[in-house]
Amino acid sequence: MSNKFNNPEAVVRVEKSGNRFNAYDSDGNKRNSEISTHTRKKAFNENYILGRFTGSTGRKYWRRVDESVVSGLSGAGNTNTTSVEVPSDHAEVLNFIHNSYSLKPKGLMMNELKWKYLVRSGVRGKNIMMTGPAGCGKTMAAKALVNSLDRPDFYFNLGATQDPRATLIGNVHFEKSSGTYFSESVFVKAVQTPNAVILLDELSRAHPDAWNILMTVLDYGQRYLRLDEQDGQATVKVADGVTFVATANIGNEYTSTRVMDKALMDRFTVVEMDVLNEDEEYELLTYMFPHVDADTLSSVSKIANLTRVESKSDTARIGSGISTRTTVELSGLLYDGFSLQEAAEVSIYPQYDDAGGVDSERTFVKQILQKFCDDGSNDDLFNEEEVEEATAA
């Protein structure tokens, strides 16, 4: 029977909180991690309910359903992304923090201690900075914290901001009928929202003007934002309970980032994300892609681990290891019917320099892949020029 005639496995209604669109099931659980932002926003704007269905391949998807269809249904079932009301009594806060590991989504690979530390920092209104290599899950962890706390939340990607003053303060506009007027930014509204969680993504890529504006906002002794574009240069106080969560890539290999100002760094509690080991990588991939061959996913985990170990050695032949973001993309290609070799060709090899022939980073990575490609296509791992050079050597 076609899925369109079946009852949905779960249903959600979308509500707007700050500048985010949150999907809640009938038990009050937040299901944002399962539904794209576009789908949630469309459901909110057109005021309809979303239902979850399973396709013929076993893949889950969400689509619009009529309220009459879901009337009387028990609802959404269990989920790993749960939001709860944060208590205020100290004993209750302690209990909440130390029992919070159940709030961590299963798809986020983060050990219990660091998750509790992250939750504790959020509950106590600390400024949090998530650091770690590219593709290790910093933004995912930050969003998981936001989704776990029953608080209004706002998202700002500072790495994509060309005009930090417009993003963080606002703009002066002119209309012929009314003359010049000041329009506040969404960020001004965000900092005035009590107990809000404000995500500052890609802070290390932000323009220094953004850092200067944020200095007083993040300082526990000041906590204000000056609207110097407005007449009278009004000062806006940061509301009680506001938590700032930033993500940053720190290191010489991130050439598009800036060296973080020490004074700005000191305003944050740093939570460092760990690079996954082979077993953790495999656990994540099998959770995300249960219909992909387990042995192939094991090979992907081993390949990623080998590159990470090599990149950290004293005699490293590659500058960086394969990130978890890349292994997830590669596994998605496997799910869509690509072979391991084909998936590596488009998702892994372009990340490594091919200068130097047989001594290049790309050739080294291809040699690692060759050990795991047993489908009879090993000879095609290298192009003709590479084979000739290897033969001549």
Side-chain angles (χ1 to χ4, degrees):
M1 182 182 293
S2 173
N3 273 326
K4 67 180 181 179
F5 298 114
N6 292 340
N7 285 331
E9 303 162 355
V11 292
V12 298
R13 185 180 295 279
V14 180
E15 300 175 4
K16 189 173 183 181
S17 173
N19 62 352
R20 289 168 60 88
F21 296 88
N22 298 319
Y24 294 98
D25 63 26
S26 58
D27 295 322
N29 299 317
K30 194 183 290 187
R31 310 292 284 263
N32 289 4
S33 61
E34 303 174 37
I35 313 169
S36 70
T37 301
H38 171 76
T39 301
R40 285 183 274 123
K41 184 176 181 180
K42 192 170 188 295
F44 175 82
N45 290 336
E46 299 182 16
N47 193 30
Y48 60 77
I49 286 175
L50 292 170
R52 190 181 72 183
F53 299 84
T54 301
S56 58
T57 62
R59 197 162 197 172
K60 307 287 185 183
Y61 66 94
W62 293 81
R63 66 170 173 81
R64 179 175 183 166
V65 294
D66 294 332
E67 295 207 27
S68 59
V69 174
V70 301
S71 178
L73 291 180
S74 59
N78 296 324
T79 179
N80 284 300
T81 305
T82 308
S83 63
V84 297
E85 183 177 354
V86 179
S88 55
D89 179 75
H90 180 61
E92 292 179 348
V93 168
L94 289 181
N95 184 62
F96 173 77
I97 293 171
H98 293 284
N99 289 285
S100 65
Y101 199 56
S102 60
L103 300 176
K104 183 188 73 67
K106 190 173 181 180
L108 173 63
M109 306 305 292
M110 190 175 189
N111 69 49
E112 185 172 359
L113 174 60
K114 289 197 174 183
W115 173 257
K116 288 180 179 179
Y117 182 47
L118 178 62
V119 170
R120 181 263 177 190
S121 299
V123 170
R124 293 301 188 189
K126 302 292 184 181
N127 302 326
I128 305 164
M129 179 177 290
M130 309 294 302
T131 67
C136 69
K138 296 183 295 297
T139 302
M140 183 180 181
K143 288 183 177 180
L145 172 66
V146 168
N147 291 336
S148 298
L149 302 179
D150 189 19
R151 295 178 173 179
D153 49 271
F154 298 83
Y155 175 85
F156 302 92
N157 189 322
L158 298 183
T161 300
Q162 301 299 316
D163 187 351
R165 300 190 71 79
T167 300
L168 299 176
I169 296 176
N171 272 319
V172 175
H173 301 276
F174 175 78
E175 286 186 359
K176 189 174 181 179
S177 58
S178 57
T180 300
Y181 67 96
F182 174 72
S183 176
E184 290 182 353
S185 68
V186 176
F187 185 75
V188 175
K189 175 187 175 183
V191 299
Q192 295 180 89
T193 304
N195 298 313
V197 181
I198 301 175
L199 178 55
L200 305 174
D201 208 6
E202 301 285 2
L203 184 61
S204 52
R205 293 179 182 272
H207 192 280
D209 282 353
W211 297 349
N212 292 333
I213 293 168
L214 291 170
M215 284 291 191
T216 56
V217 176
L218 298 169
D219 192 314
Y220 294 117
Q222 301 182 66
R223 301 290 271 186
Y224 71 84
L225 175 65
R226 185 177 298 281
L227 307 183
D228 51 11
E229 299 287 342
Q230 186 184 50
D231 288 341
Q233 298 188 355
T235 296
V236 173
K237 283 288 186 182
V238 176
D240 292 339
V242 172
T243 297
F244 294 92
V245 185
T247 67
N249 292 317
I250 300 174
N252 294 331
E253 66 268 36
Y254 304 110
T255 56
S256 294
T257 64
R258 294 177 169 88
V259 177
M260 296 285 289
D261 186 283
K262 179 64 175 175
L264 184 70
M265 290 284 291
D266 283 346
R267 285 162 165 77
F268 287 96
T269 294
V270 176
V271 178
E272 185 178 17
M273 293 292 292
D274 296 321
V275 177
L276 303 187
N277 61 35
E278 183 182 321
D279 292 338
E280 291 169 335
E281 194 87 19
Y282 177 70
E283 181 182 348
L284 173 64
L285 296 180
T286 52
Y287 168 74
M288 296 183 69
F289 301 95
H291 300 288
V292 175
D293 178 66
D295 290 338
T296 306
L297 292 180
S298 177
S299 295
V300 173
S301 304
K302 287 182 170 67
I303 291 165
N305 187 63
L306 285 170
T307 63
R308 293 166 191 171
V309 171
E310 175 64 27
S311 68
K312 297 298 182 183
S313 71
D314 293 335
T315 57
R317 285 165 285 183
I318 53 177
S320 62
I322 297 171
S323 70
T324 297
R325 181 183 292 128
T326 298
T327 64
V328 170
E329 172 62 22
L330 187 146
S331 300
L333 292 170
L334 296 174
Y335 178 77
D336 289 332
F338 291 83
S339 68
L340 179 56
Q341 179 189 331
E342 291 170 335
E345 189 73 36
V346 294
S347 65
I348 294 179
Y349 298 160
Q351 299 183 31
Y352 293 93
D353 192 355
D354 62 354
V358 294
D359 294 324
S360 68
E361 289 191 345
R362 186 173 299 186
T363 300
F364 177 76
V365 173
K366 285 186 176 184
Q367 290 171 341
I368 293 178
L369 262 294
Q370 188 176 24
K371 300 175 183 178
F372 298 90
C373 292
D374 56 359
D375 56 0
S377 58
N378 292 356
D379 293 338
D380 296 327
L381 285 174
F382 299 90
N383 60 40
E384 292 181 4
E385 292 181 359
E386 290 172 332
V387 171
E388 289 178 2
E389 289 182 17
T391 303

